C-alpha cells in the first residue's frame, strides 16, 4: 500500500506546529500549577482534604463499618474520591478562564489552542499524583498493609494514571459545558458523589436492592475493585478489563467533547 505524500507547505506547517504545541503546553501547565500553589483553597481541597477524609473514615467510621482491617478496604476508595476532588478543581479553573475571557485572549495570540486544555489536564494529573502519594503515605502510617508485588504496583499505577487522565478530561468538558465557576461546582458534585454509590466504602451486598443495581453498573465500582484486588493480592476477575474499558471510553469521549466545546465556546 503506497502512502500519499503531504504537500510541502502542509508538511512544513505540521513540523512547525509540533514544537509550538510542546512549548505552549509547557507554558499552560506552568500557569495552571502556579495557580494551584497560589490558591490556598485549591491546594487544601486537592491535597489535604483526601488525607482528612482518610483519617475520618479510618478512625471515626471505621470501627462501626469494618473494624481494625477497614483501612485495607477503604484506601482504594479514598484514592478514587481524592482524584474526583482534585479533578473538580479543573472544571472550576476551565470555567473561570472561559467566563473571564482569558481563553478568548489566548485565541487571539500565537498560541496553539489545544495547549490551553492540555495545560489544565496535565496540571490536574500532577495535583492528583501528589495527593495520591500523600494518601498512600498517611495510609501506611494508619496501618495499611498491601500485599502487591512489583508487577501489582505497576498495574496499580497504570490504572490510577488512566483514571486520573480520564476524570481530568471529563472535568475539563464539564467546565466548558458549565460556562461559569458556580455552575461548574454544581455539575462536578455528581462526579464527587459517585464513589459513595460504589464499592468504595462498604460492600455492595449491604446496600438496598435499587442501590445495589446502581453500584454494580457504574464505572467507579470496577475501578475500585481492581485497585483493591491488585493491592491486597485478591482475584480481580472481570473488574480489570471493565475498568480499562470504562476509563478509556470516558477519557476519549471527554477529550473529543472538550475539543468540540472549546471551539464552539471560543469562536
Amino acid at each position: 500500500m503506497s502512502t500519499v505524500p503531504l504537500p510541502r507547505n502542509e508538511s512544513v506547517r505540521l513540523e512547525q506546529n509540533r514544537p509550538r504545541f510542546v512549548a505552549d503546553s509547557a507554558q499552560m501547565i506552568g500557569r495552571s500549577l502556579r495557580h494551584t500553589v497560589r490558591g490556598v483553597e485549591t491546594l487544601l481541597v486537592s491535597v489535604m482534604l483526601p488525607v482528612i477524609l482518610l483519617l475520618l473514615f479510618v478512625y471515626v467510621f471505621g470501627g462501626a463499618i469494618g473494624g481494625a482491617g477497614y483501612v485495607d478496604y477503604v484506601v482504594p476508595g479514598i484514592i478514587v474520591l481524592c482524584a474526583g476532588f482534585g479533578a473538580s478543581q479543573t472544571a472550576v479553573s476551565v470555567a473561570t478562564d472561559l467566563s473571564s475571557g482569558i481563553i478568548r485572549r489566548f485565541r487571539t495570540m500565537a498560541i496553539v489552542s489545544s495547549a490551553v486544555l492540555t495545560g489544565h489536564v496535565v496540571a490536574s494529573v500532577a495535583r492528583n499524583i501528589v495527593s495520591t502519594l500523600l494518601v498512600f503515605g498517611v495510609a501506611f502510617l494508619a496501618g495499611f498493609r498491601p500485599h502487591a508485588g512489583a508487577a501489582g504496583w505497576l498495574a496499580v499505577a497504570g490504572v490510577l494514571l488512566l483514571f486520573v487522565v480520564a476524570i481530568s478530561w471529563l472535568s475539563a468538558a464539564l467546565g466548558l459545558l458549565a460556562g461559569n465557576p458556580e455552575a461548574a461546582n454544581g455539575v462536578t458534585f455528581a462526579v464527587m458523589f459517585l464513589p459513595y454509590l460504589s464499592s468504595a466504602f462498604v460492600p455492595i451486598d449491604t446496600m438496598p436492592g435499587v442501590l445495589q443495581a446502581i453500584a454494580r453498573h457504574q464505572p467507579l465500582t470496577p475501578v475500585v475493585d481492581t485497585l483493591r484486588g491488585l493491592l491486597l493480592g485478591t482475584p480481580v476477575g472481570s473488574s480489570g478489563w471493565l475498568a480499562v474499558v470504562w476509563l478509556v471510553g470516558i477519557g476519549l469521549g471527554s477529550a473529543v467533547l472538550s475539543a468540540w466545546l472549546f471551539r464552539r465556546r471560543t469562536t
Side-chain angles (χ1 to χ4, degrees), residues 111-172:
I111 296 175
V112 177
S113 57
S114 56
V116 178
L117 290 181
T118 302
H120 280 293
V121 170
V122 175
S124 171
V125 172
R127 286 196 303 268
N128 277 291
I129 288 174
V130 172
S131 63
T132 299
L133 291 175
L134 191 58
V135 168
F136 270 123
V138 175
F140 277 111
L141 294 176
F144 178 55
R145 296 294 180 267
H147 304 291
W153 277 106
L154 283 175
V156 168
V159 172
L160 282 176
L161 183 61
L162 193 57
F163 174 71
V164 170
V165 171
I167 200 75
S168 297
W169 274 114
L170 177 62
S171 296

Side-chain angles (χ1 to χ4, degrees), residues 5-231:
L6 289 171
R8 184 176 181 280
N9 290 341
E10 184 69 11
S11 300
V12 171
R13 187 180 67 80
L14 291 174
E15 289 298 322
Q16 289 174 339
N17 282 344
R18 190 172 297 120
R20 272 191 54 200
F21 172 75
V22 174
D24 293 347
S25 296
Q27 290 289 334
M28 292 299 161
I29 293 168
R31 172 179 176 268
S32 295
L33 290 177
R34 284 193 295 275
H35 284 181
T36 299
V37 173
R38 292 169 183 169
V40 177
E41 182 182 350
T42 302
L43 196 60
L44 288 176
V45 170
S46 301
V47 178
M48 295 307 298
L49 187 58
V51 174
I52 295 171
L53 286 174
L54 173 65
L55 298 177
L56 187 68
F57 271 95
V58 171
Y59 291 113
V60 178
F61 303 139
I65 298 175
Y70 185 62
V71 62
D72 289 337
Y73 182 88
V74 80
V75 165
I78 293 292
I79 290 171
V80 168
L81 184 65
C82 82
F85 277 117
S88 69
Q89 300 307 307
T90 304
V92 175
S93 298
V94 170
T96 301
D97 281 355
L98 190 65
S99 60
S100 68
I102 189 65
I103 290 182
R104 289 183 183 276
R105 176 71 179 117
F106 287 149
R107 293 296 300 270
T108 66
M109 301 167 67
I111 296 175
V112 177
S113 57
S114 56
V116 178
L117 290 181
T118 302
H120 280 293
V121 170
V122 175
S124 171
V125 172
R127 286 196 303 268
N128 277 291
I129 288 174
V130 172
S131 63
T132 299
L133 291 175
L134 191 58
V135 168
F136 270 123
V138 175
F140 277 111
L141 294 176
F144 178 55
R145 296 294 180 267
H147 304 291
W153 277 106
L154 283 175
V156 168
V159 172
L160 282 176
L161 183 61
L162 193 57
F163 174 71
V164 170
V165 171
I167 200 75
S168 297
W169 274 114
L170 177 62
S171 296
L174 293 176
L176 290 166
L177 196 63
N180 63 72
E182 293 78 14
N185 252 330
V187 171
T188 53
F189 175 79
V191 177
M192 290 188 289
F193 192 69
L194 276 180
Y196 297 102
L197 287 175
S198 72
S199 61
F201 303 111
V202 295
I204 292 177
D205 294 340
T206 63
M207 300 178 183
V210 175
L211 293 184
Q212 282 190 31
I214 297 173
R216 289 188 197 283
H217 298 96
Q218 63 123 313
L220 293 188
T221 292
V223 175
V224 172
D225 289 345
T226 300
L227 292 174
R228 185 174 291 132
L230 291 171
L231 288 169

Side-chain angles (χ1 to χ4, degrees), residues 240-260:
W241 67 264
L242 279 173
V244 172
V245 169
W246 269 113
L247 296 179
V248 170
I250 292 172
L252 288 177
S254 300
V256 172
L257 179 61
S258 297
W260 182 73

